[in-house]
């Protein structure tokens, strides 16, 4: 027996779910009139330049100094007319920060490094096909698990245990006994085109103080309030021989969501009372209406990620002082338009969850790329796995391979075709003979690349030395 629920998530306050990717200062320009950040592929940018400008740009890039980064920055800004790319909303505060970096003197490389480090913009999770934001199922499942653990702890009141040991005690065992292996949560795809925005994350003390809270400078891309996402949650009944303790097993019904998310309703009430104490309001409660609250993503607050009654939150002191461990955090993070904003502050991460009818429409929102629908076209009533087909193999015998150290991504170009592969710190996919030139010297190299065609996408499977070098 299983219960599949179609679930809709309504974003109530800015949400940032990290994906280890950033908008780098030399990978975007600013459209001040439209108040948009335009992110682009540097290879596409070079293609828009005249031969004379291309030689000038190459000359700047070949300097390889910290100061030359500012020169690249300015050059791109001056030649942004032909650039087309992914657009993200920005504020006047962000434009001011951008202008400050662009006007920096090129005589102090240390200052340049510090400013550029501050100006990295963390991206929220996005689909590579069209750059649309989405909500990973793992983020929602983690929140549901936290809510369920809090419910169990309220019932059984385990004393002394913390962390994973407490979870094991509450759930009745490790993986085989963990009721959450029966809960499957899909990724949540956007309905329509959700807007994202660049904001500053600023820290405020929960209690009035003459001293400001100290926190690192952060610039984040967030999903804007009003965005809607859809996906499914499936709850399976335990197998007949399962070791699950039935009294702690997840109910195969919507009752599970109501019980797990009751925890977040209490956290919202507590947080709103704290805000009143420092003269702020959230507005989340009025947007929630009768739906279930849940909190996701970065800066959701330590309380929303831990078990009440067993919290041990690290509180950093002044420089040189030892950190303290307390049952509650001392500060709260807000999304703001400027780094020093005192008004217009918004809490991070609040979402309303709605269970909707499992009708005969598509199981997921349909997403169209160009002239084809690539996802969401499976009718809910007959949702079955698609038959597996052998992927078409393609070989680029003399592909140009480059390394994007910021994104930790390999980029392969073959004529007008291109693709990329995110490898993180694992360089083993590249032949050893090419690694020094590619990863250390940051030079482009030639390689034989084997790919699989997946719809309109090309996925890198293997990278080898070019055929001529292999023969010699």
């Amino acid at each position: 027996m299983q219960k599949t629920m179609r679930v809709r998530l309504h974003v109530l306050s800015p949400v940032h779910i990290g994906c280890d990717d950033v908008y780098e200062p030399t990978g975007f320009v600013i459209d001040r009139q439209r108040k948009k950040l335009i992110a682009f592929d540097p290879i596409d940018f070079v293609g828009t330049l005249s031969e004379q400008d291309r030689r000038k740009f190459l000359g700047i890039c070949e300097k390889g100094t910290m100061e030359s980064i500012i020169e690249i920055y300015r050059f791109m800004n001056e030649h942004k007319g032909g650039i087309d790319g992914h657009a993200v909303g920005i504020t006047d505060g962000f434009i001011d920060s951008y202008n400050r970096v662009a006007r920096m003197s090129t005589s102090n490389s240390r200052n340049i490094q510090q400013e550029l480090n501050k100006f990295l913009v963390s991206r929220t999770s996005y689909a590579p096909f069209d750059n649309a934001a989405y909500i990973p199922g793992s983020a929602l499942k983690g929140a549901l698990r936290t809510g369920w653990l809090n419910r169990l702890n309220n019932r059984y009141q385990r004393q002394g245990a913390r962390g994973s040991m407490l979870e094991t005690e509450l759930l009745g065992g490790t993986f085989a006994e963990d009721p959450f292996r029966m809960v499957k949560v899909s990724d949540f795809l956007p309905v329509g085109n959700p807007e994202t925005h660049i904001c500053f994350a600023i820290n405020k003390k929960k209690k009035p103080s003459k001293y400001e809270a100290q926190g690192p400078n952060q610039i984040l891309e967030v999903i804007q309030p009003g965005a809607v996402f859809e996906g499914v949650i499936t709850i399976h009944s335990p197998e007949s021989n399962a070791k699950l303790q039935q009294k702690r097993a997840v109910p195969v019904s919507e009752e599970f969501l109501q019980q797990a998310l009751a925890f977040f309703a209490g956290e919202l009430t507590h947080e709103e009372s704290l805000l009143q104490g420092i003269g702020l309001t959230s507005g989340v409660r009025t947007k929630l209406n009768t739906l279930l609250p849940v909190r996701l993503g970065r800066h959701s607050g330590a309380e929303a990620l831990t078990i009440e009654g067993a919290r041990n939150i690290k509180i950093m002191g002044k420089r040189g002082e030892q950190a303290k461990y307390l049952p509650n955090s001392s500060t709260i993070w807000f999304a703001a338009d400027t780094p020093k904003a005192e008004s217009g502050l918004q809490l991070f991460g609040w979402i309303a969850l709605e269970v909707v009818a499992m009708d005969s429409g598509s199981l997921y929102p349909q997403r169209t790329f160009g002239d084809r629908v690539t996802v969401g076209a499976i009718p809910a009533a007959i949702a079955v796995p698609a038959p597996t087909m052998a992927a078409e193999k393609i070989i680029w015998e003399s592909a140009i391979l480059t390394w994007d150290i910021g994104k930790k991504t390999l980029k392969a170009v073959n004529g007008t075709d291109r693709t990329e592969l995110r490898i993180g710190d694992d360089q083993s996919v590249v032949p050893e003979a090419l690694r020094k030139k590619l990863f250390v010297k940051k030079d482009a190299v030639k390689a034989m690349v084997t790919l699989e065609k997946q719809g309109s996408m090309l996925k890198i499977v293997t990278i080898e030395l070019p055929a001529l070098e292999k023969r010699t």
Side-chain angles (χ1 to χ4, degrees):
M1 177 184 172
Q2 70 179 47
K3 170 74 173 178
T4 297
M5 293 171 283
R6 189 172 183 175
V7 172
R8 186 173 292 154
L9 301 179
H10 302 263
V11 176
L12 306 181
S13 70
V15 172
H16 173 88
I17 300 177
C19 61
D20 294 327
D21 200 357
V22 296
Y23 293 114
E24 295 181 8
T26 53
F28 66 79
V29 293
I30 295 298
D31 186 328
R32 293 173 176 81
Q33 187 173 5
R34 294 167 54 207
K35 290 191 177 180
K36 295 287 185 181
L37 173 153
I38 312 297
F40 55 87
D41 187 321
I43 295 176
D44 292 337
F45 169 70
V46 172
T48 67
L49 300 176
S50 66
E51 185 61 34
Q52 181 180 354
D53 286 336
R54 197 175 299 155
R55 285 197 298 269
K56 182 179 179 181
F57 184 61
L58 181 61
I60 297 172
C61 293
E62 286 179 340
K63 292 181 181 180
T65 63
M66 190 61 65
E67 293 81 0
S68 67
I69 295 178
I70 297 297
E71 293 184 60
I72 293 172
Y73 199 79
R74 292 171 180 166
F75 183 92
M76 287 180 165
N77 194 47
E78 291 168 3
H79 295 79
K80 64 185 178 183
I83 297 177
D84 186 25
H86 173 55
V88 184
I90 55 176
T91 64
D92 289 334
F94 183 81
I95 293 174
D96 291 342
S97 297
Y98 179 87
N99 291 339
R100 186 185 69 249
V101 174
R103 290 193 297 263
M104 284 187 68
S105 168
T106 56
S107 62
N108 191 324
S109 60
R110 183 176 179 182
N111 284 349
I112 293 171
Q113 178 73 66
Q114 290 174 342
E115 285 300 317
L116 290 177
N117 286 343
K118 291 178 184 178
F119 206 60
L120 289 179
V121 182
S122 298
R123 293 195 69 170
T124 196
S125 293
Y126 65 97
F129 305 103
D130 64 348
N131 285 299
Y134 79 99
I135 296 178
S138 56
L140 180 58
K141 184 171 180 177
L144 293 173
R145 184 183 177 89
T146 298
W148 190 254
L149 286 166
N150 274 275
R151 174 184 176 275
L152 293 177
N153 196 47
N154 287 339
R155 176 178 294 184
Y156 300 112
Q157 293 296 319
R158 296 294 183 187
Q159 301 295 328
R162 293 184 184 275
S164 59
M165 185 181 296
L166 176 59
E167 290 189 29
T168 298
E169 288 190 16
L170 290 174
L171 296 171
T174 53
F175 178 78
E177 298 84 19
D178 189 332
F180 267 79
R181 68 184 177 84
M182 313 308 296
V183 180
K184 312 298 181 185
V185 184
S186 78
D187 289 338
F188 283 75
L189 302 180
V191 177
N193 296 304
E195 289 189 16
T196 61
H197 203 73
I198 306 299
C199 75
F200 294 88
I202 64 174
N203 210 7
K204 297 283 185 183
K205 290 190 175 182
K206 289 183 175 179
K207 294 181 179 179
S209 171
K210 63 180 180 180
Y211 300 108
E212 289 290 333
Q214 298 297 314
N217 187 70
Q218 296 179 23
I219 309 176
L220 306 176
E221 178 188 27
V222 294
I223 304 169
Q224 286 286 76
V228 178
F229 298 81
E230 284 188 2
V232 294
I233 298 175
T234 301
I235 306 172
H236 297 266
S237 293
E239 309 92 333
S240 58
N241 61 347
K243 298 179 180 179
L244 290 178
Q245 293 190 26
Q246 291 302 318
K247 61 184 178 180
R248 302 181 191 192
V250 172
V252 186
S253 69
E254 294 175 27
E255 177 191 0
F256 158 66
L257 297 177
Q258 295 165 352
Q259 293 176 351
L261 298 182
F263 161 72
F264 291 98
E267 285 301 308
L268 178 58
T269 299
H270 178 65
E271 190 164 69
E272 288 186 328
S273 67
L274 285 173
L275 293 180
Q276 289 177 2
I278 56 175
L280 297 173
T281 58
S282 74
V284 171
R285 178 76 63 184
T286 55
K287 297 177 185 176
L288 187 62
N289 202 355
T290 59
L291 302 182
L292 300 171
V294 64
R295 203 169 195 192
L296 305 177
R298 192 169 182 180
H299 295 320
S300 293
E303 287 83 357
L305 306 173
T306 51
I307 302 173
E308 188 176 8
R311 291 176 177 140
N312 203 27
I313 299 170
K314 187 176 183 179
I315 310 295
M316 300 300 294
K318 297 177 183 177
R319 182 173 294 181
E321 290 183 353
Q322 267 194 326
K324 299 181 290 186
Y325 291 85
L326 300 174
N328 292 291
S329 60
S330 59
T331 63
I332 189 167
W333 287 88
F334 294 93
D337 289 344
T338 67
K340 301 292 184 181
E342 294 295 334
S343 61
L345 306 180
Q346 299 182 77
L347 294 169
F348 279 99
W350 281 107
I351 286 176
L353 185 148
E354 176 187 14
V355 178
V356 296
M358 186 71 79
D359 55 27
S360 58
S362 297
L363 190 59
Y364 302 100
Q366 294 188 6
R367 302 292 297 164
T368 303
F369 309 106
D371 59 353
R372 64 194 183 282
V373 177
T374 59
V375 295
I378 306 172
I382 56 169
V384 293
T388 302
M389 299 179 65
E392 179 186 349
K393 289 284 198 303
I394 296 174
I395 296 177
W396 292 348
E397 293 192 354
S398 297
I400 302 299
L401 206 64
T402 56
W403 169 240
D404 187 328
I405 189 171
K407 297 181 180 179
K408 297 190 175 181
T409 298
L410 291 173
K411 295 187 177 183
V413 177
N414 184 53
T416 59
D417 295 323
R418 65 189 62 189
T419 190
E420 59 185 50
L421 176 68
R422 186 176 177 83
I423 64 170
D425 296 319
D426 181 10
Q427 301 177 359
S428 61
V429 68
V430 177
E432 188 173 355
L434 301 177
R435 291 177 197 167
K436 183 176 180 180
K437 189 174 183 181
L438 182 65
F439 296 115
V440 179
K441 295 184 177 180
K442 310 296 188 303
D443 291 339
V445 300
K446 278 190 178 182
M448 184 168 72
V449 179
T450 302
L451 311 100
E452 286 184 355
K453 191 169 185 180
Q454 300 179 349
S456 65
M457 302 296 293
L458 292 172
K459 178 183 177 182
I460 296 175
V461 179
T462 61
I463 299 172
E464 303 173 77
L465 292 173
L468 182 61
E469 292 186 27
K470 290 168 83 174
R471 288 196 293 271
T472 57

